[in-house]
Amino acid sequence: MNPRFFEAAEQGKVQCHLCPNNCLIAPGRFGVCRVRQNREGTLELPFYGRLSAVATDPIEKKPLYHFYPGRQILSVGFVGCSFHCPFCQNHHIAHDTSYPTEYISPEKLVELCRQRDSFGISYTYSEPIVHLEYVLDTAILAREQGLKNVLVSNGYINAEPAEQLLDLMDAANIDFKSWNPEFYRKEIGGNVEEVKRFLKQAYDKINLEVTTLAIPSKNDSSEEIETIARFLASLNPDIPYHLSAYYPQYRYRIPPTPPSTLHRLAEAARQHLNYVYLGNVGSEETNTSCPSCGNLLVRRRGYSVVVKGIEEGRCVECGAEASIAGV
Ligand code: SF4
């Protein structure tokens, strides 16, 4: 358990270089994420391996729709986060590091994955990047055993640690919260350019999917969502894009996203992307159709998933590549 991605600074401080916050941490204090601490001039990780949640979830819950559809994945959460979103849906673990946790070593977690017959491990629920040392240590062991590694994250990480992370991940769902730099800066405490940089770094290395939580009056204009979709399409128009309905959480009291808004935004995103999905909208079907001929490839109702129209990775009707891993 060696802390990485930091250097000693003047007056006993340490500078963490893991995420673009680049916290300069005074002795005894924590960084913005509240889990990386300066103890006597060196960075310590008092929350290494301390998990706030361990569960087996459908991969669709991450959400990942184009990676081993219908399979269950061992999912683990931590505490702490590099952002402070006032609408955080997991604020009880993201912003309260006194939340009960249990230490599970990387070896034990991989063993648990085997016992539960899961095809891999998903690092999720709270922000896994601020626990990168544990994620890397576990992902190495998991990969050695033929298991998959899946990241669910805000994508806020500097380029060098991101390279190490991407080398070990197989798939990821990254939050793209807004195109608006002011929204990232004022509401969240982040820099949207850094998230874009990470997406550019990641898109051709792993199975990448992207999610935007559509919040009324904040980021729900068709123009904004179309701009995000255009950016993603410039990387790859087959990147699956999830538009998720917001519900009042934590410090936000804005009413929930109406389904009609989500449908309007999906239409805007479909101008540029081949696979756009609605999330958090109850029992609506979220199927995958072939972008070439419209043939139904995967039928989803809730977490009930049937792969119907794919053989050897191609649409059975027109032969176009299905762009879905693990089928
Ligand atoms: S990982 Fe935490 S301590 Fe390091 S720069 Fe980011 S917020 Fe600061």
Side-chain angles (χ1 to χ4, degrees):
M1 188 253 285
N2 290 319
R4 289 163 244 175
F5 320 112
F6 77 98
E7 63 183 348
E10 80 290 353
Q11 297 174 333
K13 295 176 182 168
V14 296
Q15 180 131 41
C16 178
H17 293 301
L18 175 50
C19 90
N21 286 330
N22 291 312
C23 299
L24 187 61
I25 310 171
R29 307 300 290 265
F30 286 84
V32 166
C33 59
R34 303 184 207 181
V35 295
R36 303 172 73 82
Q37 186 182 27
N38 179 347
R39 281 192 193 156
E40 296 172 3
T42 188
L43 192 80
E44 292 289 336
L45 308 173
F47 291 91
Y48 179 94
R50 300 220 61 98
L51 303 182
S52 60
V54 180
T56 305
D57 290 337
I59 188 79
E60 284 75 16
K61 193 174 176 183
K62 304 298 113 194
L64 279 171
Y65 280 13
H66 286 224
F67 190 71
Y68 290 78
R71 299 283 294 273
Q72 301 280 319
I73 189 159
L74 182 69
S75 301
V76 297
F78 306 86
V79 292
C81 186
S82 46
F83 286 168
H84 48 259
C85 307
F87 46 88
C88 182
Q89 316 228 323
N90 287 312
H91 58 91
H92 54 291
I93 49 176
H95 302 302
D96 180 3
T97 53
S98 66
Y99 190 87
T101 57
E102 178 192 1
Y103 177 74
I104 299 185
S105 68
E107 292 77 9
K108 184 102 186 290
L109 190 62
V110 170
E111 193 185 313
L112 195 60
C113 184
R114 286 261 173 242
Q115 283 166 5
R116 296 202 184 179
D117 205 21
S118 166
F119 77 106
I121 300 172
S122 174
Y123 311 92
T124 178
Y125 303 135
S126 64
E127 181 48 58
I129 281 175
V130 298
H131 300 273
L132 193 66
E133 289 84 352
Y134 179 79
V135 171
L136 296 178
D137 290 349
T138 308
I140 289 169
L141 295 178
R143 180 161 285 179
E144 281 171 3
Q145 299 213 17
L147 300 166
K148 302 294 184 196
N149 289 300
V150 170
L151 178 77
V152 182
S153 165
N154 61 17
Y156 212 53
I157 180 169
N158 285 328
E160 194 188 320
E163 213 51 45
Q164 296 186 35
L165 177 66
L166 291 169
D167 278 350
L168 287 165
M169 291 298 117
D170 296 286
N173 189 306
I174 302 299
D175 271 353
F176 197 119
K177 295 169 192 283
S178 170
W179 187 258
N180 181 357
E182 286 296 287
F183 184 86
Y184 259 92
R185 194 170 60 78
K186 285 189 180 160
E187 305 259 351
I188 294 172
N191 178 350
V192 67
E193 294 304 322
E194 297 288 351
V195 180
K196 285 193 231 171
R197 194 227 355 103
F198 176 69
L199 292 173
K200 287 181 195 166
Q201 196 178 352
Y203 81 93
D204 59 352
K205 297 191 176 73
I206 56 171
N207 292 273
L208 176 68
E209 306 197 17
V210 173
T211 296
T212 297
L213 185 73
I215 307 170
S217 78
K218 295 289 184 182
N219 63 354
D220 67 338
S221 77
S222 300
E223 293 72 26
E224 177 161 358
I225 297 302
E226 193 180 336
T227 307
I228 294 173
R230 196 182 296 116
F231 164 72
L232 295 175
S234 75
L235 305 178
N236 183 347
D238 285 342
I239 292 174
Y241 185 40
H242 302 262
L243 286 159
S244 193
Y246 146 94
Y247 289 88
Q249 285 283 351
Y250 197 32
R251 296 187 174 136
Y252 265 18
R253 292 292 171 267
I254 299 167
T257 318
S260 58
T261 298
L262 232 46
H263 285 284
R264 170 174 56 76
L265 299 180
E267 205 172 302
R270 286 187 184 117
Q271 310 275 327
H272 303 280
L273 292 167
N274 290 325
Y275 303 103
V276 178
Y277 301 103
L278 306 189
N280 272 355
V281 281
S283 61
E284 279 197 48
E285 284 196 2
T286 48
N287 298 330
T288 302
S289 298
C290 173
S292 296
C293 71
N295 178 41
L296 181 63
L297 301 179
V298 182
R299 169 170 287 151
R300 300 181 192 85
R301 184 172 283 277
Y303 295 126
S304 161
V305 179
V306 183
V307 179
K308 290 180 69 75
I310 306 175
E311 265 179 27
E312 295 177 0
R314 296 191 170 272
C315 169
V316 293
E317 287 295 328
C318 72
E321 205 173 318
S323 176
I324 298 181
V327 292

